[in-house]
Structure formats: structure tokens, C-alpha cells
Amino acid sequence: MKKTTLIAGTFLALSAQAEASEPQYLSDWWHQSVNVVGSYHTRFGPQLNNDVYLEYEAFARKDWLDFYGYIDIPKTFGAGNTPDRGIWDKGSPLFMEIEPRFSIDKLTGADLSFGPFKEWYVANNYIFDMGRNSASRQSTWYMGLGTDIDTGTALNLSVNAYAKYQWQNYGAGNEDSWDGYRIKIKYFYPLASLWGGNLSYIGFTNFDFDSDLREKGGRTRTSNAIASSHILSLGYDHWHYGVVARYFHNGGQWADGSELNFGNGPFEVKSTGWGYYLVVGYNF
């Protein structure tokens, strides 16, 4: 985290120059950025994890396509705790998540809105971890139905409901099967103008449930999990800065408080609690 703070301070000092002229981007609809991310006590696995890494991020909304996605290079800067491994020390060289949604309204030419539900989508959420072997690799596809909701306020709200197909999952017992469901709620609220930029609250919550992993994986696994992210973002034309608090409940479907031993002695699973991120990014 100390290293991330230094990086953030350096980029903050440089950002004044970046905002001096009219912004220009490579695309007027495919919005993208490169970020430096520092994470602390994330709980997607059975052990607390820290990392500092590079990230490519993109989002787009055009015609019938609504897209969000990112690609991470784990442990890019060699910083992180002992159980964390990445691209330079035989860990995963790449972690990716994409969330493409395809508008049913626009593809069919029909207005399917009713009540507060503005538009309907075929919704997808695909996650891929390119581990070095099957025990360190994940490939998960969530597929279902999504909608945007008119709140009558400045709050932007969307909800997606998915069924999950699990290919590889770090060697867990639910691989190559349909296994459970996810409800994803995403929200955005503009807060204020601050220091020449725009301060916003951004967040999402994943509810995972009805998995067979507890039955197939034993008492250290669970059939449900929650990950809820809450972000304060300060955005400029090119630079953006974020502080993230993420709450995990049985993160990665690991049973909080259970005991594991990976060969280096027993330890207690800490999959419930808060993790934190600092983000500095450049939009191009």
C-alpha cells in the first residue's frame, strides 16, 4: 500500500498538465484507460491478499451494445504478500472480466419498457484467470437477463440475473457444470464538482447462491457468497482517482473461519470482511 500511495501522489502532481487542453481520445465511443491499482486484504481466496498491478479498463454504450471489462496483470510491480503470486513469479500472468450486454429492445426494434424498467438486455459476465496450470486457472460464464431501472432521481441503476456455467475453477469439485446463480446490482450517483473534477459514487454488489460447491467441495466451501464494492471516484478529462471499499461474505465461496493446510501449516480462512483498493488511471 505504501508503494501505491507514492504512485498516486506522483500521478496527482502530473494531472494538472493533462487537464490544460481540450481532451482527445482514440475513440469517441470506446472509452478506455490504463490504471495502477493497489489492493489490500482482498478475500477472493482463502487467504488475505495484497497486490499492486496494472489494469486495462474499457466501457462502451453504443446502439445495441452495453459493455464493461478489464484486464489485470497480477503483481506487475513485484509488490504483494507471500501467498500472492503473479506474472513474474510463476503465478497467473493475466486476469480478465468482461460484462457485455445486448439490448433486446434495440435488436428487435420493440419497446419492452414498462413501469420503472427502461430497457432489457441479454446479459453476460465472463471471468478468466490464466493460471499456469489447472489448479490455478478459472473460467466462468454467467448468462441471463438484465435491465436498466428508472429511479426518478440522478441515481443510475441496473440489475442482471444470471445462471452460471463453471468450466475450470482452480481444481474445485464444481468444474464443467451448471452451478448456481448470480444477481448483480450496479449503481452510479454523481455527487459534486470537486477540485475541478467530478466526484461520483459508483458501486456494484454480486449475490451468488444455490451452488453445489459446499456439497462437492466439503465444509471449507459454501453454496453462496457476496462481494459488494463501494467507490468514490474523482474524474477529470484524462485522469481519474478512486478509493474503494469492498465487503466480502464467504469470498470466493470459501467458508469463513474454517481451517485449511496447503502444506505450510494450518491457517484459518478469512473470507468475510473488508478489502480496500486505491486506483489511479489515465483515460485515452
Side-chain angles (χ1 to χ4, degrees):
M1 291 298 288
K2 290 183 179 179
K3 185 171 184 178
T4 306
T5 304
L6 290 172
I7 294 170
T10 302
F11 283 176
L12 187 61
L14 293 173
S15 66
Q17 294 178 344
E19 308 312 320
S21 59
E22 189 70 20
Q24 295 184 352
Y25 307 105
L26 294 182
S27 172
D28 60 357
W29 69 276
W30 184 262
H31 308 286
Q32 52 194 335
S33 67
V34 173
N35 307 320
V36 175
V37 182
S39 64
Y40 177 74
H41 279 188
T42 57
R43 301 167 190 259
F44 290 109
Q47 296 172 286
L48 299 177
N49 196 56
N50 308 321
D51 199 356
V52 182
Y53 56 91
L54 276 177
E55 176 180 81
Y56 169 80
E57 187 177 29
F59 69 92
R61 191 178 182 99
K62 185 175 183 180
D63 299 329
W64 43 265
L65 175 65
D66 180 34
F67 178 89
Y68 173 77
Y70 62 87
I71 298 172
D72 294 341
I73 308 299
K75 210 174 178 182
T76 313
F77 303 99
N81 61 355
T82 302
D84 176 45
R85 292 192 298 166
I87 187 171
W88 309 118
D89 51 7
K90 298 182 180 180
S92 175
L94 180 147
F95 183 92
M96 177 184 77
E97 182 173 8
I98 59 172
E99 299 177 30
R101 299 197 306 172
F102 309 104
S103 171
I104 301 172
D105 297 51
K106 290 184 172 65
L107 287 171
T108 62
D111 182 3
L112 302 177
S113 63
F114 65 93
F117 303 104
K118 299 189 295 182
E119 192 169 352
W120 294 88
Y121 302 86
V122 175
N124 300 271
N125 188 173
Y126 178 68
I127 299 171
F128 177 66
D129 188 352
M130 187 190 292
R132 305 281 180 166
N133 52 52
S134 59
S136 60
R137 193 171 298 133
Q138 178 191 11
S139 180
T140 309
W141 183 20
Y142 298 89
M143 63 202 81
L145 190 66
T147 186
D148 295 332
I149 298 175
D150 184 357
T151 64
T153 70
L155 175 68
N156 288 290
L157 182 65
S158 68
V159 178
N160 303 312
Y162 310 102
K164 179 179 71 173
Y165 191 83
Q166 185 66 67
W167 281 290
Q168 292 174 297
N169 190 24
Y170 310 110
N174 63 340
E175 292 187 333
D176 299 314
S177 67
W178 291 96
D179 186 59
Y181 305 90
R182 166 174 286 185
I183 293 176
K184 178 187 287 284
I185 303 173
K186 302 179 74 171
Y187 25 86
F188 169 84
Y189 192 86
L191 294 174
S193 296
L194 180 67
W195 300 326
N198 296 311
L199 183 67
S200 303
Y201 167 67
I202 307 166
F204 69 87
T205 300
N206 291 331
F207 299 94
D208 295 316
F209 59 96
D210 203 26
S211 167
D212 293 329
L213 190 54
R214 172 80 176 191
E215 178 183 340
K216 295 178 179 179
R219 61 179 181 81
T220 62
R221 308 309 298 263
T222 68
S223 61
N224 59 80
I226 297 173
S228 184
S229 294
H230 306 274
I231 306 160
L232 280 178
S233 175
L234 181 61
Y236 296 89
D237 290 334
H238 282 291
W239 293 93
H240 60 266
Y241 312 93
V243 178
V244 185
R246 174 175 285 172
Y247 179 74
F248 298 86
H249 175 73
N250 295 331
Q253 291 183 240
W254 291 96
D256 186 62
S258 58
E259 186 177 288
L260 285 172
N261 189 335
F262 290 155
N264 297 318
F267 65 91
E268 180 183 351
V269 174
K270 297 181 179 180
S271 59
T272 294
W274 289 92
Y276 305 93
Y277 301 78
L278 289 177
V279 182
V280 179
Y282 184 78
N283 310 316
F284 63 93

